[in-house]
Amino acid sequence: MDVDGKSSSKGEEEKKNAVVVILVGAPGSGKSTFCDHVMRVSTRPWVRVCQDTIGNGKAGTKTQCLTSAAAALKDGKSVFIDRCNLDREQRADFVKLGNPQVDMHAVVLDLPAKLCISRSVKREGHEGNLQGGRAAAVVNRMLQKKELPKLSEGFSRITFCQSESDVQGAIDTYSALGPQNTLPSGSFGQKNPDAKVQLGIMKFLKKVDSPVNAVSKGDSLKDSVTTDKENDSSSIGWEEVKRVEEVKGGEDLAFSSLESTSSFDNVPTLAFPSISTADFQFDLEKASDIIVEKVLEFVTKLGNARFVLVDLSSGSKILSLVRAKAGEKNIDSGKFLTFVGDITRLYSGGGLRCNVVANAANWRLKPGGGGVNAAIFSAAGPSLETATMERAGSLAPGKAVVVPLPSTSPLFCREGVTHVIHVLGPNMNPKRPNFLNKDYKKGCEVLREAYSALFEGFASIVKSQKAFYEEPTVKLGSVQLVSPVDFKIPRKNQFSNADQKVKREDVYESDRNKKCKVVHGEHGSQTGATNGIDNAQNEKNNGSMSKAWGAWAQSLYHIATNPEKHKNDVMEISGDIVVVNDLYPKAKRHLLVLARYEGLDRLADVRKENLQLLRTMHDVGLKWAEKYLSEDKTLIFRFGYHSAPSMRQLHLHVISQDFDSKHLKNKKHWNSFNSAFFRDSVDVMEEIDKFGRATLKDEEILSMELRCHRCRSAHPNIPRLKSHIGNCRAPFPAFLLQNGRLLFATDKDGTNQ
DNA sequence: GTTCTAGAAC
DNA sequence: GTTCTAGAAC
């Protein structure tokens, strides 16, 4: 073949997999950043066509962009169209660039207008020269004519990003898109079915807005796995699963705002290969019976957790057997899926989030061999082997070992896998060690044992991470404000009788008062320092049957009550608050903003009428954090409340994120600031405003595993964790970067608008 | 032997 | 909340 022939055939090949991604978003929505992030790490050749830069200083034109995009495509490159593309007409000409060889995608950066505006206003040297006050007006005007893209415009895939974690998710997806890979078709991530312009996701499931190249998908969409058992060839594939996920997302919307980070907003899911049926030649009929039996057992045990049986081959016999048997047993198809795909690319390959992956390991727990074991060790990188060896040196048939995946592992970063469970099944292959010589009685026993061990391992992870997945629960309560039994006699005159300790649980409303929500009208003799106390405050103080405060837990209460007696410790006093340094700081800077309201012992006592107080506390906290930031720009601050504080009197923690302190000594210390137990002030205010109370996490989450607050890597004990966090410079999880949960030093002395 | 955790007392 | 310490884990 001559040179020309060669190059043109190569060109053909590349062109076949080219993709045009039309970014849709207002100025400040992060389009250029998106491209930069993807292009920095992608192995696929990308060209960014940016209308702001294409004119070489002058304003660029749409035509220039079209020409440039077409040229890049001809060159076999994939293209980002980096311009606002907010309405259909603007997009139409670019969509025409698509053809059977070129996938046409849209990525919608549909972030809050406020955020786009503030970014546009702040930025300097923006390529489009859109900055300063003018930006706000422009962004506002543009957003008004926003028209979200639809598949029917000619897109084969649309990704909607409505939060920074969505954006990160999309960046990850496109970053992982190798030169030969394609992404599944469909519409992803649209959470707000405000569908003036866009079909709701439920509707989408029922009736596909047929994308240009989605012929294969046709009308074979199924609501569940089990319903398509008659169609042997179609195990659930990427697209179907994704759609199931989307629907779930829609249903869970009510809870999604609170703890949703890209890694934690999903149901705990275990992906597992069929054990022993490949290299170990276990009988498929028997194996499928056992899989279904064990899944059934654990699906009921494990509440909302999900199980996914994965096989690489679409013609997999074991998958179709299991699917058929699961159907017969009526296993909830939302809890158990069979899935055709690569177990090491479940998320990046198309969006199935599995936080735990099972490995069909060998007894040495070593990489190599073939099949799933080789694939998982290779995809996870050397850190899996190290982490595995820390846990176990070998594995007996029927046993499993849970290995928390270090954050350095690509399987962790790219796929969101937090644990690998190695499991070893029985061997029926005479060429392998521990051959059972057709003894299926023993074989079945061991295989059952293996699945039990695997699922038990998964259950233990679910338990330890429960806090991240559970929908918010109000602790202290099934207690509703309207529930009469919960009312207690409001404590009056508490401040004036500070010595007279009244234990909360000793004081209950008597039966005769249960029916009426009595307002104990007469004002007690509130004295001196007790600003802000009134009966409304006391009245709603029905925190529930919480434990009494020990004598040791009273110190903050005393300070809030009589700050003048603690002059040496108190940094600021007002009618509403007192600021003190934490006596045992858990970081370089750690202060407490105490509320000076009687009856507000803890977050559980806070109600809507305290919203203004919360805002005051937050603002005071901010002010102090800013002061410390001006002295040390490396600090990063977080503001929040403990779900169940040890010390009496509502207090806001203002704490720097170095956690560099000799006082941070145990798991409880760490997790109380670095799990969902710590309720960010901004979220608390929002919940109080919306729902009248804050969601609280149970104390049991304080004993869960230790993970780095930045990179989320797991560590076996506090000393190891501390040495890790001393060096970890990974960016914070997306969740913390949103909504001002973290306060960083500003680069410039920027003026706030 | 040393390190680390976890439960009780305060 | 901390301190102390038994005993588990390494």
Side-chain angles (χ1 to χ4, degrees):
Chain A
M1 201 179 277
D2 64 22
V3 178
D4 278 333
K6 243 183 193 165
S7 71
S8 79
S9 83
K10 187 165 172 260
E12 289 293 311
E13 235 170 63
E14 282 172 357
K15 233 200 281 180
K16 210 166 120 190
N17 291 306
V19 47
V20 174
V21 177
I22 298 186
L23 289 146
V24 178
S29 60
K31 297 185 296 294
S32 300
T33 313
F34 184 97
C35 302
D36 289 346
H37 277 295
V38 173
M39 292 167 75
R40 204 176 301 150
V41 296
S42 178
T43 54
R44 169 183 283 263
W46 285 101
V47 168
R48 170 179 162 233
V49 174
C50 173
Q51 187 156 341
D52 292 333
T53 51
I54 206 165
N56 263 335
K58 285 184 288 184
T61 66
K62 189 170 157 189
T63 317
Q64 283 174 304
C65 292
L66 281 163
T67 313
S68 163
L73 280 173
K74 206 171 164 197
D75 208 21
K77 307 274 176 52
S78 291
V79 181
F80 282 117
I81 307 294
D82 178 4
R83 59 201 292 282
C84 295
N85 298 310
L86 281 168
D87 60 72
R88 184 184 176 126
E89 201 186 320
Q90 287 291 329
R91 293 186 289 262
D93 290 328
F94 291 94
V95 171
K96 286 180 197 152
L97 290 168
N99 62 49
Q101 272 78 50
V102 176
D103 259 355
M104 187 57 54
H105 294 183
V107 169
V108 185
L109 302 175
D110 193 12
L111 294 146
K114 225 166 59 183
L115 180 65
C116 300
I117 291 169
S118 75
R119 280 182 187 161
S120 301
V121 169
K122 277 179 195 154
R123 69 177 145 190
E124 287 178 24
H126 171 53
E127 289 159 339
N129 198 25
L130 181 62
Q131 60 192 61
R134 196 168 66 89
V138 174
V139 173
N140 260 330
R141 200 180 59 235
M142 293 184 85
L143 284 174
Q144 272 168 21
K145 55 175 193 173
K146 172 178 82 176
E147 196 182 346
L148 295 175
K150 296 193 246 183
L151 294 171
S152 58
E153 287 175 33
F155 293 106
S156 62
R157 179 187 172 95
I158 303 177
T159 310
F160 292 93
C161 303
Q162 295 179 322
S163 68
E164 308 219 35
S165 62
D166 292 348
V167 175
Q168 191 55 52
I171 288 173
D172 295 344
T173 303
Y174 279 95
S175 298
L177 183 67
Q180 304 302 321
N181 305 342
T182 54
L183 288 172
S185 306
S187 175
F188 301 97
Q190 194 181 26
K191 294 188 185 109
N192 179 8
D194 136 36
K196 195 166 67 206
V197 259
Q198 178 72 18
L199 290 175
I201 210 73
M202 289 301 283
K203 225 168 155 188
F204 175 67
L205 183 77
K206 297 250 159 58
K207 178 179 174 294
V208 188
D209 194 351
S210 186
V212 283
N213 65 349
V215 194
S216 64
K217 182 162 63 215
D219 55 5
S220 73
L221 279 179
K222 296 292 189 287
D223 283 335
S224 69
V225 190
T226 49
T227 54
D228 71 0
K229 64 186 172 207
E230 69 282 2
N231 182 354
D232 209 35
S233 69
S234 69
S235 194
I236 192 160
W238 299 121
E239 294 156 23
E240 281 78 0
V241 167
K242 186 65 192 179
R243 248 165 238 120
V244 171
E245 297 250 303
E246 295 302 327
V247 171
K248 285 196 179 305
E251 284 165 352
D252 292 348
L253 192 59
F255 301 110
S256 67
S257 69
L258 301 172
E259 282 294 331
S260 63
T261 71
S262 53
S263 354
F264 298 116
D265 56 359
N266 280 294
V267 189
T269 304
L270 168 71
F272 65 102
S274 170
I275 305 300
S276 288
T277 51
D279 200 32
F280 286 171
Q281 301 181 356
F282 200 95
D283 177 76
L284 296 183
E285 279 291 345
K286 292 187 172 68
S288 55
D289 283 338
I290 291 172
I291 292 173
V292 172
E293 172 195 324
K294 285 292 160 189
V295 165
L296 189 58
E297 178 186 336
F298 278 85
V299 148
T300 40
K301 255 191 220 173
L302 268 178
N304 70 334
R306 299 184 310 188
F307 297 81
V308 186
L309 176 65
V310 180
D311 196 299
L312 196 53
S313 133
S314 60
S316 160
K317 187 89 200 296
I318 187 78
L319 241 54
S320 50
L321 283 170
V322 167
R323 200 164 50 243
K325 289 171 182 174
E328 284 163 19
K329 301 265 184 201
N330 287 320
I331 297 183
D332 182 347
S333 59
K335 303 252 174 83
F336 178 51
L337 308 172
T338 58
F339 192 89
V340 177
D342 178 351
I343 199 164
T344 67
R345 304 196 70 94
L346 291 169
Y347 180 59
S348 63
L352 179 60
R353 280 185 199 275
C354 298
N355 59 315
V356 183
V357 165
N359 176 32
N362 52 45
W363 72 275
R364 292 170 177 278
L365 292 171
K366 290 288 185 191
V372 171
N373 185 65
I376 287 183
F377 270 105
S378 145
S383 59
L384 174 61
E385 195 182 346
T386 317
T388 301
M389 288 304 129
E390 276 177 22
R391 301 266 154 172
S394 66
L395 196 60
K399 298 281 185 284
V401 58
V402 176
V403 180
L405 201 54
S407 64
T408 46
S409 167
L411 220 45
F412 180 100
C413 321
R414 190 191 65 212
E415 306 297 323
V417 174
T418 62
H419 295 77
V420 170
I421 305 179
H422 299 292
V423 54
L424 184 62
N427 175 29
M428 296 298 167
N429 182 346
K431 293 181 187 150
R432 297 277 175 266
N434 301 318
F435 168 47
L436 284 180
N437 196 15
K438 293 179 186 161
D439 180 358
Y440 267 101
K441 186 164 177 288
K442 176 89 171 124
C444 289
E445 215 170 88
V446 177
L447 189 59
R448 278 200 183 83
E449 209 186 303
Y451 279 109
S452 290
L454 167 61
F455 294 164
E456 290 289 357
F458 177 50
S460 71
I461 297 165
V462 172
K463 194 162 171 260
S464 76
Q465 296 190 334
K466 208 159 123 201
F468 282 104
Y469 296 100
E470 255 179 1
E471 53 200 50
T473 50
V474 177
K475 196 214 167 178
L476 304 180
S478 38
V479 181
Q480 296 296 317
L481 199 56
V482 289
S483 165
V485 282
D486 298 315
F487 283 98
K488 292 176 187 165
I489 296 166
R491 286 170 299 161
K492 290 179 282 183
N493 308 334
Q494 190 79 70
F495 270 96
S496 49
N497 298 305
D499 295 338
Q500 176 198 334
K501 302 260 159 52
V502 181
K503 289 192 175 164
R504 303 165 63 95
E505 70 271 52
D506 294 338
V507 193
Y508 286 102
E509 186 80 88
S510 62
D511 269 30
R512 70 194 148 77
N513 283 336
K514 279 184 179 174
K515 283 287 171 203
C516 48
K517 189 173 162 182
V518 192
V519 175
H520 294 260
E522 65 283 16
H523 271 244
S525 57
Q526 291 135 27
T527 57
T530 64
N531 299 356
I533 299 170
D534 60 31
N535 283 295
Q537 222 74 41
N538 274 339
E539 173 61 25
K540 56 104 227 320
N541 168 33
N542 59 346
S544 79
M545 344 246 178
S546 40
K547 58 169 188 272
W549 301 103
W552 50 264
Q554 304 288 347
S555 61
L556 299 181
Y557 172 78
H558 291 315
I559 294 172
T561 314
N562 291 307
E564 65 281 2
K565 288 189 187 163
H566 300 81
K567 281 237 161 63
N568 293 336
D569 305 316
V570 168
M571 299 149 73
E572 178 180 349
I573 308 180
S574 78
D576 298 318
I577 56 95
V578 174
V579 179
V580 291
N581 268 315
D582 194 298
L583 188 55
Y584 299 93
K586 302 299 183 292
K588 282 181 183 160
R589 291 293 183 185
H590 182 183
L591 31 124
L592 305 175
V593 182
L594 316 181
R596 298 189 63 197
Y597 282 57
E598 168 66 350
L600 286 189
D601 287 352
R602 62 191 117 200
L603 190 48
D605 301 329
V606 174
R607 293 294 176 270
K608 195 155 185 168
E609 54 266 39
N610 310 115
L611 186 55
Q612 192 48 53
L613 171 67
L614 294 182
R615 290 188 178 131
T616 303
M617 292 169 74
H618 186 87
D619 290 345
V620 169
L622 270 178
K623 184 185 73 185
W624 280 92
E626 274 158 6
K627 169 179 147 56
Y628 289 129
L629 278 174
S630 71
E631 295 165 6
D632 180 351
K633 296 206 187 313
T634 66
L635 297 176
I636 296 161
F637 279 94
R638 194 172 172 194
F639 310 84
Y641 301 86
H642 284 156
S643 284
S646 299
M647 304 295 280
R648 176 178 176 188
Q649 198 66 12
L650 181 69
H651 54 281
L652 172 70
H653 289 271
V654 177
I655 184 163
S656 60
Q657 297 295 293
D658 45 84
F659 295 107
D660 176 6
S661 161
K662 62 176 186 185
H663 298 294
L664 201 162
K665 292 174 175 169
N666 59 43
K667 215 172 213 187
K668 182 172 178 178
H669 291 154
W670 177 257
N671 283 331
S672 72
F673 290 100
N674 292 290
S675 72
F677 187 83
F678 188 83
R679 300 304 331 277
D680 289 279
S681 174
V682 287
D683 297 323
V684 166
M685 291 188 289
E686 186 182 334
E687 290 168 22
I688 294 289
D689 188 25
K690 277 190 187 155
F691 312 119
R693 56 175 72 202
T695 54
L696 305 174
K697 284 293 179 188
D698 212 85
E699 268 182 273
E700 63 185 34
I701 90 171
L702 295 177
S703 55
M704 68 187 197
E705 61 191 3
L706 296 165
R707 281 190 180 266
C708 171
H709 58 319
R710 286 172 170 261
C711 72
R712 306 292 317 160
S713 58
H715 300 270
N717 54 46
I718 288 288
R720 297 266 283 273
L721 172 76
K722 288 182 85 167
S723 79
H724 168 84
I725 58 172
N727 301 315
C728 182
R729 291 289 168 269
F732 283 86
F735 170 74
L736 289 180
L737 297 172
Q738 296 162 9
N739 297 351
R741 291 182 179 95
L742 293 179
L743 182 71
F744 295 83
T746 44
D747 305 342
K748 319 247 152 48
D749 28 42
T751 45
N752 288 331
Q753 70 275 26

